[in-house]
Amino acid sequence: MSAPARRQLEHGRVGESIRRVDAIPKVTGEFAYSSDLFAAGMLFGHTIRSAHAAARVKRIDTSGARRMPGVHAVLTHNDVPGEKRYGLEFADQPVLVMDDVGYFGEPIALVAAEHPEQARRAAAKVRVDYIPQQPVTNPERAKDVVRELTIRHGDPETTADVTVTGTYEVGIQDQAFLGPESGLAVPDGKGGIDIYVATQWLHVDRDQVAPCLGLDAEEVRIHLAGVGGAFGGREDLSMQIHGALLALKTNRPVKMVYNREESFAGHVHRHPAKVWQEHRADRDGKLVCVRTKILLDGGAYASSSTAVCSNAASFACGPYAVPNALTECTAVFTNNPPCGAMRGFGAVQVCFAHEAQMDKLARALELDPVELRLRNALAPGDTLPTGQRIDGSLPVAEVIRRCVALPEPEPEELPRDPIRLPGGAGNTTRGDGVHRGVGFAVGFKNLCYSEGFDDYCAARVRLYSDAGGDLIAEIHSAAAEVGQGVTNVMMQVARTELPDIKDVVLAPHTTSSVGSAGSSSASRQTWMTAGAVRAACLAIKDELERRGGTLAPGEEIDMERVYRHRETTPLDPKTGQLTGERAHVAYACAAMKVIAEVDVDLGLTRVVWIGTAQDVGRAMNPQAVYGQIEGGTAQGLGLALMEELQTRDGVITNASFTDYLIPTALDMPPVSAELIEEPEPDAPYGAKGVGEPPTVVSTAAIVAALRNATGRELTRVPVRPDDIVGL
């Protein structure tokens, strides 16, 4: 089932814009996504899920399902041969419900049948007797805490000339990737299993799956299948254990593909948040103290809530020099849908709050909001509220200046084509109530994993000579290509470090031929994989020189290397201060200016133009960087204006793309982007991750433009029409 190795289409090196190696097959429809997988004799799996957000399971009757035509297996928790629970940070999530349901859509039983329709009909015959419980859905009433973190810096009791306060809320956002969860589990006939799946971290999947199957790690091989988007939603397991259980039970390949409704229930979401902040400043606009309280709803299980809690607390003050701060962040368990990793990872929620506060402070001081930000901008050498000194690049003032300097489009005259009014063709006022607003925001976030996590990446490069005597480099990596372009990065690194090679071949991504690459998340994969591939290439170059610079046909050099970034240490659990030199490896920042139009009579909005400047370290592939900025901005726009997973008593009520709205091409405005290249000293080639900062800052900037247009406070996202026209 392994995909054939893919050859590079253009001979680009680091810093050049080159065509993506998967571009043509994706455009022509030839690219195989995980839902396209096929194996001879395969069965189709289906999951029976809870209709309640909280319940006690009295009895599961599978007899009716077992009698259905074409059914080969019906499994419950009693059929799990190994560990009954798994999890990213804590093994707290049951493979299949044992006693208590924790959230709506939690897996209870599994079916495998000859045809997907047979599997669905058999699933409908599984009878589950519940004793419904009262779900905990209000995080303010939750009693179980995932993590509490307090960061105390300087003297938080210090007073100042001007004080502003505010409370801000962020709803549940879904990653809304277009490729639903899917994969294929294939038994090897010896008790082991091969799993082909769209995921973000092959090795951590294996390390969770194997114990639940009662197998050793080497008996479980995870292979990357084509990924139709991820954004954090594929860090946690979906069908991996379930498909493997069915395949091992039936001794046949089993394919599972979620429908859209199941996908909404089957993965984690962005943490909804409530953030209270108080900013104190002197008359000159210098920040004196920032106090923050953050409440994050983690849903039913831990997932990555502990890390999201740390990030939200660490970045609550924004990219500003703050001499005194108190940040209290709490993540709690509820019976709402589980929440975990999503692009921005805690920084999105607090950026929405701290940028609203900066605008409010600018008004109180009668100071230009951009000037206020410049006066307080962080710079290398400054100290963060955690006590960490910025010793890499962080050009906050530069991104602000470059963003402000971007030329704005001229206002469009009225009347105009209705499609270019707020609300598009649905606008009935012909533009009479349209107000124009300009918003600005700045944000920053960490790169790579933090707080002492052993963050490393392995890569293997095999250099061999073909029949004609030409050198070929074959790259082995478990780095998950989730759309961000890491496959191109690997090939560009090989071209840069081994300039005399004729071609570069990328081997299939798998756990069986190379060590872990870590996760494609936390803006880390380009940094880490480039470091590992570069190290392997340099080792090959040394060995090739030792052999006289040539290889005979059939001869090869094979090198695997592991790259680690500089060490981080945990924050002190009582004070939130450093316990070593750094809690985070490095940082990246972005500034964004937004022009929006609002029909204040109808509450309809239109984002007209977005200008942004982003700190990218060094652009490995500039064209891909621009693409990441536009994509990240689109997700921030969705959170600002339309995206929210709705629940009633913990039950999802809008689990479809009819009711859960995401931005289309018509919703996205032109985006003018400036790349600020100040190389990160310790990063390979100086590169920084670029996928998250645009999402961090765009929601705050868009809502700032809406406030400017309407005069409304707009303290919650997504902003609804009745927030604009209501009382």
Side-chain angles (χ1 to χ4, degrees):
M1 295 303 303
S2 296
R6 292 170 285 183
R7 291 177 180 267
Q8 190 168 357
L9 298 175
E10 298 180 17
H11 296 172
R13 300 183 182 183
V14 167
E16 299 175 10
S17 290
I18 62 171
R19 185 170 57 191
R20 289 181 58 121
V21 295
D22 55 2
I24 290 177
K26 283 184 174 177
V27 170
T28 60
E30 298 173 281
F31 184 85
Y33 289 97
S34 55
S35 56
D36 298 319
L37 296 171
F38 175 84
M42 72 183 185
L43 302 173
F44 293 86
H46 191 80
T47 308
I48 294 90
R49 297 179 178 274
S50 172
H52 300 273
R56 172 64 58 89
V57 174
K58 285 180 59 180
R59 177 172 168 268
I60 305 172
D61 181 1
T62 63
S63 59
R66 294 178 189 277
R67 293 193 296 267
M68 293 288 288
V71 171
H72 288 254
V74 184
L75 307 181
T76 68
H77 66 88
N78 292 318
D79 300 294
V80 179
E83 297 293 331
K84 304 285 188 179
R85 298 178 184 273
Y86 68 93
L88 264 182
E89 298 184 25
F90 308 106
D92 65 341
Q93 193 158 352
V95 175
L96 295 168
V97 167
M98 291 177 279
D99 298 305
D100 295 311
V101 170
Y103 68 96
F104 169 74
E106 186 164 17
I108 291 178
L110 307 170
V111 174
E114 295 281 350
H115 188 276
E117 186 58 34
Q118 289 176 320
R120 284 191 290 270
R121 291 183 179 185
K125 292 292 185 180
V126 174
R127 297 287 178 254
V128 184
D129 292 338
Y130 299 100
I131 303 175
Q133 307 290 312
Q134 184 63 40
V136 177
T137 58
N138 184 345
E140 296 186 77
R141 297 179 180 177
K143 297 180 180 179
D144 295 324
V145 173
V146 186
R147 184 180 184 181
E148 291 179 301
L149 178 62
T150 297
I151 297 176
R152 186 180 297 274
H153 176 61
D155 179 9
E157 303 304 321
T158 300
T159 59
D161 298 322
V162 177
T163 300
V164 297
T165 61
T167 301
Y168 307 91
E169 294 185 55
V170 176
I172 306 176
Q173 187 181 20
D174 188 79
Q175 293 85 352
F177 36 71
L178 297 187
E181 290 83 348
S182 51
L184 179 68
V186 182
D188 64 8
K190 303 175 184 178
I193 194 86
D194 288 270
I195 303 171
Y196 302 83
V197 65
T199 181
Q200 291 179 239
W201 192 346
L202 295 170
H203 283 77
V204 86
D205 282 8
R206 181 199 64 185
D207 294 344
Q208 293 176 86
V209 171
C212 295
L213 300 179
L215 298 176
D216 294 332
E218 60 269 17
E219 296 177 283
V220 177
R221 295 162 296 276
I222 310 289
H223 311 274
L224 185 68
V227 181
F231 317 116
R234 300 190 200 271
E235 274 205 341
D236 297 73
L237 296 182
S238 59
M239 56 68 60
Q240 288 92 320
I241 301 175
H242 297 162
L245 286 171
L246 291 168
L248 291 170
K249 180 71 174 180
T250 61
N251 199 31
R252 286 176 59 178
V254 173
K255 180 176 179 176
M256 300 187 77
V257 181
Y258 291 3
N259 61 27
R260 185 57 59 187
E261 182 178 5
E262 187 176 16
S263 179
F264 273 103
H267 63 251
V268 297
H269 314 279
R270 187 185 300 286
H271 289 73
K274 189 171 186 177
V275 183
W276 173 88
Q277 283 203 306
E278 180 181 78
H279 281 58
R280 303 172 183 172
D282 64 23
R283 288 291 178 190
D284 293 327
K286 294 289 287 183
L287 289 170
V288 173
C289 180
V290 175
R291 297 169 65 96
T292 308
K293 291 184 179 181
I294 307 162
L295 179 62
L296 300 171
D297 183 350
Y301 297 107
S303 184
S304 53
S305 288
T306 58
V308 174
C309 178
S310 174
N311 265 29
S314 294
F315 301 105
C317 294
Y320 308 113
V322 179
N324 307 286
L326 177 64
T327 302
E328 299 168 289
C329 186
T330 304
V332 297
F333 289 109
T334 67
N335 294 114
N336 290 320
C339 292
M342 186 175 172
R343 198 175 198 165
F345 207 77
V348 169
Q349 294 91 326
V350 294
C351 184
F352 174 61
H354 66 62
E355 289 306 277
Q357 284 286 101
M358 291 297 281
D359 284 343
K360 186 179 287 189
L361 184 60
R363 290 193 298 272
L365 290 164
E366 298 182 337
L367 189 65
D368 178 80
V370 172
E371 177 59 29
L372 176 65
R373 289 167 168 87
L374 284 171
R375 291 184 187 184
N376 292 281
L378 280 171
D382 287 344
T383 300
L384 298 169
T386 58
Q388 181 168 337
R389 180 179 176 274
I390 299 170
D391 55 3
S393 73
L394 189 65
V396 178
E398 181 66 8
V399 300
I400 293 173
R401 294 189 186 99
R402 293 277 289 274
C403 182
V404 170
L406 289 169
E408 299 177 13
E410 292 295 324
E412 294 183 62
E413 296 295 329
L414 293 170
R416 68 175 83 137
D417 185 339
I419 201 69
R420 300 191 64 75
L421 290 173
N427 190 299
T428 59
T429 67
R430 299 183 180 179
D432 294 340
V434 170
H435 292 194
R436 179 181 168 107
V438 179
F440 191 84
V442 193
F444 80 137
K445 187 191 174 292
N446 62 314
L447 307 170
C448 304
Y449 286 157
S450 307
E451 284 203 83
F453 188 91
D454 185 15
D455 193 2
Y456 68 91
C457 179
R460 180 175 148 229
V461 177
R462 186 171 73 94
L463 188 72
Y464 61 92
S465 178
D466 66 11
D470 292 313
L471 295 177
I472 310 295
E474 180 182 84
I475 302 173
H476 293 256
S477 171
E481 171 58 73
V482 297
Q484 83 280 37
V486 71
T487 50
N488 270 46
V489 167
M490 288 188 277
M491 291 177 164
Q492 288 175 274
V493 170
R495 286 277 179 201
T496 301
E497 302 301 337
L498 302 172
D500 295 329
I501 56 178
K502 178 186 178 183
D503 206 353
V504 182
V505 175
L506 184 63
H509 303 239
T510 175
T511 59
S512 60
S513 66
V514 67
S516 176
S519 177
S520 287
S521 61
S523 297
R524 65 173 291 284
Q525 197 62 269
T526 290
W527 178 321
M528 301 299 291
T529 303
V533 173
R534 181 175 183 268
C537 287
L538 292 176
I540 287 218
K541 184 186 291 186
D542 290 343
E543 178 61 19
L544 185 63
E545 289 177 359
R546 192 185 70 79
R547 298 189 190 186
T550 61
L551 293 177
E555 193 177 3
E556 68 175 50
I557 303 172
D558 196 330
M559 296 287 184
E560 181 170 342
R561 291 292 183 268
V562 173
Y563 172 84
R564 281 179 166 85
H565 57 62
R566 55 188 185 171
E567 184 181 26
T568 62
T569 55
L571 294 173
D572 184 281
K574 294 182 179 179
T575 65
Q577 295 300 296
L578 292 181
T579 56
E581 284 191 44
R582 64 189 62 84
H584 301 294
V585 181
Y587 306 90
C589 58
M592 190 170 288
K593 178 168 58 174
V594 173
I595 296 175
E597 292 182 337
V598 182
D599 190 315
V600 296
D601 296 326
L602 301 177
L604 301 175
T605 60
R606 173 184 173 233
V607 179
V608 176
W609 173 85
I610 292 176
T612 184
Q614 184 165 322
D615 157 36
V616 302
R618 182 184 179 191
M620 301 285 280
N621 182 339
Q623 185 180 50
V625 171
Y626 287 117
Q628 285 286 287
I629 290 173
E630 291 191 14
T633 300
Q635 285 190 300
L637 183 149
L639 178 59
L641 299 179
M642 60 189 74
E643 292 189 45
E644 183 174 14
L645 201 65
Q646 301 284 343
T647 60
R648 184 179 298 114
D649 295 328
V651 175
I652 299 172
T653 61
N654 64 332
S656 75
F657 283 162
T658 299
D659 301 309
Y660 182 93
L661 303 180
I662 59 176
T664 68
L666 292 177
D667 297 301
M668 272 299 289
V671 177
S672 299
E674 287 270 342
L675 307 185
I676 312 303
E677 295 192 82
E678 291 190 8
E680 178 64 29
D682 289 320
Y685 308 104
K688 292 185 177 184
V690 299
E692 293 183 287
T695 304
V696 170
V697 75
S698 51
T699 298
I702 289 165
V703 179
L706 303 186
R707 292 192 193 101
N708 184 247
T710 64
R712 296 266 181 164
E713 288 290 318
L714 303 180
T715 58
R716 187 185 190 280
V717 288
V719 175
R720 304 294 187 188
D722 56 357
D723 296 328
I724 294 171
V725 299
L727 297 177

